[in-house]
Amino acid sequence: MTIEIIIGIVALIAGSSISILIYQAAQKRKSMNIIREAETEAEVIKKDKILQAKEKFLQLKSEHERAINEKNQKILVAESKIKQRETLLSTKFEEIQRKNKELEVIRENMDTQLILIEKRKEDLDKFHKQQVEQLETISGLSAEEAKQQLIDSLKDEAKTVAMSYINEIMDEAKMTATRDAKKIVIETIQRVATETAIENSVTVFNIDNDEIKGRIIGREGRNIRALEAATGVEIVVDDTPEAIILSGFDPVRREIARLALHQLVTDGRIHPARIEEVVQKTEKQIEEEIIEAGKRTTIDLGIHGLHPDIVRLVGKMKYRSSYGQNLLQHSREVANLCAIMASELGLNAKLAKRAGLLHDIGKVPDDEPEMPHAMLGMKIAEKYKEKPEVCNAIGSHHDEVEMTTLIAPIVQVCDAISGARPGARREVVESYIKRLKELESLALSYPGVNKTYAIQAGRELRVIVGSEKVTDKEAESLSNDIAKKIQDEMTYPGQVKITVIRETRAVSYAK
């Protein structure tokens, strides 16, 4: 019995071991399968990632090549322009050399002619001297005595003839003075008006890239024609990089064109129907801004009771300029100056401020009648029932009509103050730079001056002198001399401060 139990237990243990071995073998096969599946899946993922990386690399490579091609294209264009300039310069250089050779030949011929002329002159002087000696011998008078007698005999006759000529010239001058004066003024306007007209009639619209120009022009130019017809502004699309020029004498129309173009470019939809819609919306927006600017100005200045149309004209001044000075800002300055001056004189400050604000409304009418702006402004003020004092001040601030109130000369004076103060009105850039260079060159012409600097827009001139060449007392005298010379020889707004700096420098080097 005991042996059977033992045998059974041994058999049971042996069976369990076999089962465990079988189970372990099954688990091992399952693990191997999972590992193979994982490796297969990892290989698939790896291939996908490699494909994605290759696609990304190819995309970046194509973008990089496109960028390089664009840069190469720009470089080729620049090189072409440089070559053209080099060709032009070489042609001009050859022309200059040819002219120099011609000048050398002419100079040599002139030297020969001058030698002959000098020789002929010497011969003539000798002959003249001989003739004078013979005449003195024959007449018994010296040359000086004969000359004096001749002068005395001709003096009375010359006076009579000269007086008749003077009378004729004076009469002719009186007849032609007005005509000649007008001619001179017109010629002056022709010479100086071009740059000012360009500055006041052109707006530059900047764009991100030149591709937008083609969309603005449109197919066969239909977009740009629609935009010009809707705004009344000429749109110039040329080779200027990243810029479009809006040209027109009406600044309000140019502002409408600029805002409409900005909205169209930002939106991206550019076609004739869309252009008309955007321009109409922009016109309404500008009109609202004009009215709002007029209301805000009257509130800021404390002026009440203006007719809505006059308020609109005041707001319209925001988009006008006179010699580079904003018209609305100028009118506000004149209004404040008039109020201060009227208060000092014990006059009605509110009435003076009102006249000062409205004195230039004749520059911003809705129509364009042919009359001076002061007269037009007076008629507008009379139309909207402004007080007679205000109307007279507006009409007489350029002496078109006679001043009948005490406010009128105040408006005239304050208008001149606002326009003439330093920095109020813009100079042409070339004349401004030329004035600064003349200031510096004038000071450099004095002995002992090392360097000069025109600063603060030409309001101050710094002059650096050498301490070994100029003493302290001479520096003070030099400052006065430069100031006097600038005052006598130059034209400039305001005043120029001359500062002479005398310094001693000790410089050493540690090696």
Side-chain angles (χ1 to χ4, degrees), residues 63-282:
E63 291 177 356
H64 181 66
E65 289 177 349
R66 185 166 60 253
I68 289 173
N69 290 333
E70 290 178 356
K71 289 183 179 179
N72 289 336
Q73 190 66 25
K74 290 182 180 179
I75 290 170
L76 289 174
V77 173
E79 288 179 350
S80 176
K81 290 182 179 179
I82 290 170
K83 288 179 180 178
Q84 290 177 359
R85 290 179 181 175
E86 288 179 351
T87 305
L88 182 62
L89 286 173
S90 63
T91 305
K92 288 185 178 179
F93 181 71
E94 292 174 358
E95 182 69 17
I96 290 170
Q97 285 185 328
R98 186 180 61 77
K99 289 185 177 179
N100 284 336
K101 290 179 181 178
E102 293 177 356
L103 286 173
E104 288 295 331
V105 174
I106 293 171
R107 191 179 290 115
E108 291 176 358
N109 294 333
M110 288 182 65
D111 291 339
T112 306
Q113 294 292 331
L114 285 172
I115 293 171
L116 293 174
I117 290 170
E118 287 293 331
K119 187 176 180 181
R120 183 72 61 84
K121 185 178 178 182
E122 290 177 0
D123 295 340
L124 287 173
D125 288 340
K126 289 180 181 179
F127 180 73
H128 179 263
K129 190 174 181 181
Q130 293 174 359
Q131 293 294 321
V132 170
E133 290 175 353
Q134 290 180 4
L135 286 172
E136 288 178 351
T137 304
I138 294 170
S139 63
L141 296 172
S142 66
E144 289 297 326
E145 290 174 349
K147 187 188 296 182
Q148 188 61 41
Q149 287 184 5
L150 182 61
I151 290 171
D152 293 338
S153 64
L154 293 176
K155 189 178 290 183
D156 294 335
E157 182 181 355
K159 283 183 179 178
T160 304
V161 175
M163 286 302 297
S164 64
Y165 276 123
I166 289 171
N167 291 332
E168 291 177 4
I169 292 169
M170 289 294 291
D171 293 338
E172 184 178 356
K174 289 178 183 178
M175 293 171 60
T176 61
T178 303
R179 185 181 69 249
D180 291 344
K182 289 180 180 178
K183 183 179 179 182
I184 291 169
V185 171
I186 290 171
E187 288 178 351
T188 305
I189 291 171
Q190 285 179 322
R191 290 180 181 178
V192 305
T194 305
E195 292 178 354
T196 303
I198 290 172
E199 290 179 359
N200 290 333
S201 62
V202 168
T203 299
V204 178
F205 178 76
N206 296 312
I207 56 178
D208 294 334
N209 56 69
D210 290 340
E211 294 178 359
I212 298 174
K213 291 182 179 180
R215 293 165 56 196
I216 292 172
I217 295 172
R219 184 180 297 174
E220 297 179 356
R222 63 178 185 176
N223 290 346
I224 194 170
R225 286 198 300 272
L227 195 55
E228 287 179 340
T231 60
V233 173
E234 182 182 357
I235 300 172
V236 181
V237 182
D238 54 14
D239 294 334
T240 307
E242 298 181 355
I244 293 173
I245 296 172
L246 310 178
S247 176
F249 288 103
D250 191 336
V252 176
R253 289 184 179 179
R254 289 205 313 274
E255 182 66 10
I256 291 171
R258 187 186 70 80
L259 293 175
L261 200 55
H262 176 72
Q263 187 171 346
L264 288 167
V265 170
T266 304
D267 184 36
R269 293 178 294 161
I270 306 176
H271 52 82
R274 176 67 176 161
I275 288 170
E276 292 180 1
E277 178 186 350
V278 171
V279 170
Q280 288 177 0
K281 289 182 179 179
T282 307

Side-chain angles (χ1 to χ4, degrees), residues 312-327:
R312 179 177 168 277
L313 291 176
V314 170
K316 201 173 177 183
M317 291 181 185
K318 178 182 177 182
Y319 298 97
R320 296 277 179 169
S321 62
S322 178
Y323 298 97
Q325 186 181 24
N326 182 267
L327 192 58

Side-chain angles (χ1 to χ4, degrees), residues 281-294:
K281 289 182 179 179
T282 307
E283 286 176 349
K284 291 180 181 178
Q285 177 186 345
I286 290 292
E287 187 66 23
E288 291 172 358
E289 288 182 5
I290 287 172
I291 295 171
E292 181 62 27

